[in-house]
Amino acid sequence: MSVVHRVRLPVGATPMVEVGHSVEPAEVLATRRVPRGGINLAVSATLRRSPADAERYLVVRPGATLVAGAILAEDNRGRQVRVEEACILLGYDRDDGSAMVAPLSGSEPVLGHVRGNVVSIEPDAIELRIAGALVTGVGGSGNAVHGELRVAVHEPGDELRASAIDVGATGRIIVGGSRASAETLTRARAMGVAGIVLGGVLDKELRDFEATQQRRREIGGVRGDFAVILLEGFGKVGFDPGLFAWFRTHEGRMASLFGDTARLYVYDAGPPPGRRVLPRPGDRVIAHRRPHAGQGGELVRVLDRPYAFASGIVGRAALVRFEEGRTAVVPMANLEATEPLPSP
Amino acid sequence: MTANPVRADLALLLDVGSAWAKAGVIGRVRGRWRLVAHATQPTAWGATALRRSLVDQLAASADPRLMHRLDDLIAGANRIECHTARRPARLAVVAVSRELSGSAARRAAEAAGWEVVETVTFDDGRTLAGRLGILQAAEVEAWLIAGGFDDARSPRALEAAALVASARRVDGGPVIWAGSAALADEVERLFEPGALSVVGNPRPDARREEPAALRTHLAALLREAVTPEDETHLSSVAFPRAIGALAGATGLRILGVDLGARSATRALAEPDGTFASRVHARGGLAGTVFAPGAAARVARLAGDAGEEAAVADLLQTLRARPSSLPQTSEELSATQTAARVQLTGMFEEGVAGSVDLLIGAGQTIAAAPRPTQAARMLLDGVRPIGVTQLAVDAAALLGPLGSLPDDEIGEGLALLGEDLLVPLGTAVVCRGGVPGRLAMRVTVHRAGWPTRLPIEVRTGQLQVVALPRGQVAEITIELQSGVSLGAVRRSSQVQVSATGGVVGLILDARGVPIALPKRSDDRREVLAGWRDSLAREAIAGSERVA
C-alpha cells in the first residue's frame, strides 16, 4: 500500500528535487534563506535628501527580497543606496530616513522526514508518495523524527516504564503500551530515543514533559529531536490489542513520526487494522471514553431501545463483553469496530 | 372495494454539525403541523442510520397503513437543511500592540468566525526574524493587519504591513488593513492590485474600540472568499436568521446561543426582527482545551468533576472525539462546566441591555439530560441580568428553519408553534448586594392561587419556584439597596410577568460574575447547594433554596 505525504514549503523556499525523484528522510527537498533580524540602512543621508523626500527614490517596496549588492534607492543625480547582503526590505522610516531590512541567512534545508517518491511540486508544497502505511493518532507532541520500530512492552495494556528504555532504544521509535509517565518520557529523550508510540498518556504528564523540555531548550540543554504520538486518547487509555499486534508484526521496520500532527508512517507495511463507526454484533470493538476508554471487546448485542447511562444521557447503546472479562452497556457513539488484520 | 390511499405530509428538518447530526420530522397531525419524530446521532454514522432511527420512532405512533412506507416517505420528504462549514477559515493577525490593536483585531476576527492561527505583535517578545519566520510558515486564507490610531502616522503600523508583505506569497489570500486611516494608501502600495481591502480602524484612538465595521467585513469575506457555498444553509447564518424572525414575530428581544462541537454562534435580535450575530471559531466544546488554564477552571467551577488532571484528559477527549458521549456523571459535569466556561468566554463583554428570551441550542445544552442542567449552563454562562425567559431548541429546529427563504422563516416558525422550543421557565438575575444579606424579596401572584408570603433571596442564593409550562405569574420584585436588575429604576419595586417552564421560576442572586468561595471545601458545598436547588423537584407553590 502507499500513502501521500505533503511537505509544506515556507515562503521563499526553492525546491531541490523534481517529480519522480526518490528521497530519503534526511534528504533536502528545498532550501530557504531565513531572515536573521533587522538592521537600519541610512537612505536619506546617503541620498542627501530630507527623510520624506528620499522615500520617493526607493526602487523596491517593503516586502521585496533583494540580493547582495542590489540597489535599494537611487536618485536622479546618480546617488545610490545598495544592500551589502541579501535581505528583505521591511519598511522605511519617514522620520529618520532609514530603511529597515532583514538580512537573510545562508541557505537552510527543508527536509521531508520521509522516504518516498516526489509526485508533485507546487509553490507551497511538495507531495511525496510513501510505500507503507499511515497510522493517525488523536494527539502528540514534538518534531518529525524517523527510526526503526521497536516494541518495548509485552502486553498492550502494559505501562511503558523508564526501566524499559535502555541503550538499545537509542535512535529508535519505541512502541509502548497503554501509557508512560513524564519520567519515562524524560529518560527516553535522554537516552536518545527518537520517538514513542502510546495508547494514551495523561494530558498533565505530557504537558509537564513539554514544559521541562522547553525549559531545557531555553538553557541549551536539549539536543536532538523527539516526538510522542497517542493513538487512542488522553488519560489511562489502553492500546488497541489489534493495533498492538500489527506493530509487533512490523517490529524492525523504519518509520517516520510527526508528533505535532499525530501521524506515523511505517515503511513497507501492510494496512493497519481499520476502524469503522456503527459496529455490529460480533464485531471486535474499542471503547473511547471512561470508564472503558481504550478497552477492547466483542459487541454482543445492540440494545433495542435507548438506554439511560449513569450520567443521565439517553442514547443508542450496545452490550460489550470486554477482553478483561467484564460485560457492560456502552454508548454506541463511544464504540468503533476494529477490522481484523488480513491473514498472512 | 378499494381502500382509500393514506396521505402523509412530511418534512425533514436537518441540522448537520461537525460532530452531531440532528433530524426532526414534522408531519400534519389532525390538521396541525407537529414534530412527530426527532433523532440525534454522530454525523459520521451517515444518512441511512439517521433515517432508520426516525423510522423506528415513527413506527410506534404512525398509522399502521403507512408502516411499510415510512422509509420511503422520509427519504422523499421535503428536506430543509443547514450544516456547519466544512472547515474553519484561518487567519493571521499582525498588529502593533498585543493589548490594543492586536486584541481588538483578534476579537473581531474570532467573532466573525475566523480561526486566528497566528498573532504577531511588536511586543510579543519575539525577534524580528522569529516573527517573519512564523508568518512565512503560516497556512492561512487571509491576513489582518492592525495598528496605529487614526490621527497619527505610526511607523510601527507600517512595519506590520511590511512584515505581511514579506511573509505572504503574491496571490496568497486577501489582506485587510484595519489600522491607521492615514496609512491606508501607503499600505496599499505594498501589495499587488486588488489584494488589500481597507476597513475602519477597530481602535481609532486609545479610548475607543469600534470593531463593528471590521467584524462585518470579515464576516462577508468569510462567506464570499472561503465558504462560497450557499451561505443561508450554513448553521452560523441560518441560526441567527431564525432568531431574528422569531424576535420579529414575538416582539421580544431574543438572545440565541448555539454551542457546537467546534464553534459557537450567538445572535441578538431586536423586537423589530433585526439581529447581530457573532461566530466564535473556537467557541465550541472542543475549543475549551485551548483556553489557558481551562482544566483548572473547569475543575474549580464544577466541584464534582474530579481532579484537574482528569478534567484535562476529558477536555482533550472532547477535542479529539467530539461525537462521543459522557457515560459517567463526572464526565457529564465536566462537559457541562466546559460549556459554561465557553459561554462565559463568549459573553465576557456582556450583553448590552436585558433580553426577554434566552435560547440555548447545540447538543450539550439542548440535549442535556435534565432541563435544570440546561438552565444552569445558560444562567452561569451568559448571566442574563434582569428578568429573562429561558428556552432550549431541543429538537434543533431553528437552524434548518433559518435556512428557508426570508418570507418563509416566519411561516415555518409559526407552523411548529409549541413544538419549536422547550421553555425552561423564567430567571430573575440580580447583581450587587452584600453576601449573605437580603438581595430581593419576590412575591408570586398566580391566577387561582392564593398569594403566598414573599420569598426572600439572599445575595449568593439561588431559589426555584414551581411554575409549570403554560402558566403565567405576575411577580413583584422588591430590590434591596445596592442590588440591581441591570436597568435604571425609579422604584425599589419591579412588577413583571413570568412564564413557566419545565424548571420554573428561578431567582438568582449569585451576582454577575458569580462569586465563589476561595476554600475548596466551601466552594464545593456552595456549588452542591446550587445544583441541588435546581435539581430537586419543586412542589407547586413552594420554593427550593440554596
Side-chain angles (χ1 to χ4, degrees), chain A residues 6 8-12 32-39 55 61-64 88-95 100-102 123-125 138-139 201-204 207 231-236 275 277-278 288-292 309-316 329-336, chain B residues 20 41-42 44-46 49 52-53 128-130 132-133 135-140 153 155-156 158-159 161-163 165-169 186 188-193 289 305 309-314 316-329 331-332 335 367-370 373:
Chain A
R6 188 169 187 268
R8 189 166 185 278
L9 296 180
V11 174
R32 65 181 292 227
R33 303 187 71 179
V34 181
R36 278 190 283 115
I39 56 170
E55 189 183 15
R61 61 187 185 185
I88 297 175
L89 173 61
L90 292 176
Y92 177 79
D93 191 332
R94 273 193 199 171
D95 295 327
M100 181 179 247
V101 298
D124 62 343
V138 296
V201 74
L202 297 181
D203 182 61
K204 185 178 183 310
R207 299 296 148 238
L231 299 180
E232 297 296 343
F234 290 81
K236 293 177 183 173
R275 294 283 176 90
V277 293
L278 269 180
H288 287 314
R289 281 183 75 159
R290 286 183 206 149
H292 308 293
F309 295 94
S311 61
I313 295 267
V314 177
R316 283 182 75 183
V329 178
V330 182
M332 286 287 281
N334 296 1
L335 293 172
E336 272 185 315
Chain B
W20 293 94
Q41 66 170 42
W45 287 8
R52 197 172 297 138
S53 268
L128 178 65
L132 256 181
L135 293 175
Q136 286 183 330
E139 284 190 84
V140 295
R153 191 185 170 284
R156 300 296 268 173
L158 203 53
E159 224 172 280
L163 260 184
S166 312
R168 172 184 168 273
R169 294 171 211 280
E186 283 175 74
E188 194 147 24
R189 287 197 290 274
L190 300 181
F191 300 95
E192 72 272 14
V289 74
V311 172
D313 291 335
L314 173 86
Q316 287 283 10
T317 304
L318 292 177
R319 175 195 61 77
R321 303 195 185 278
S323 58
S324 56
L325 288 172
Q327 195 174 340
T328 65
S329 52
E331 286 223 329
L332 180 75
T335 305
R370 294 175 198 86
Q373 293 166 338

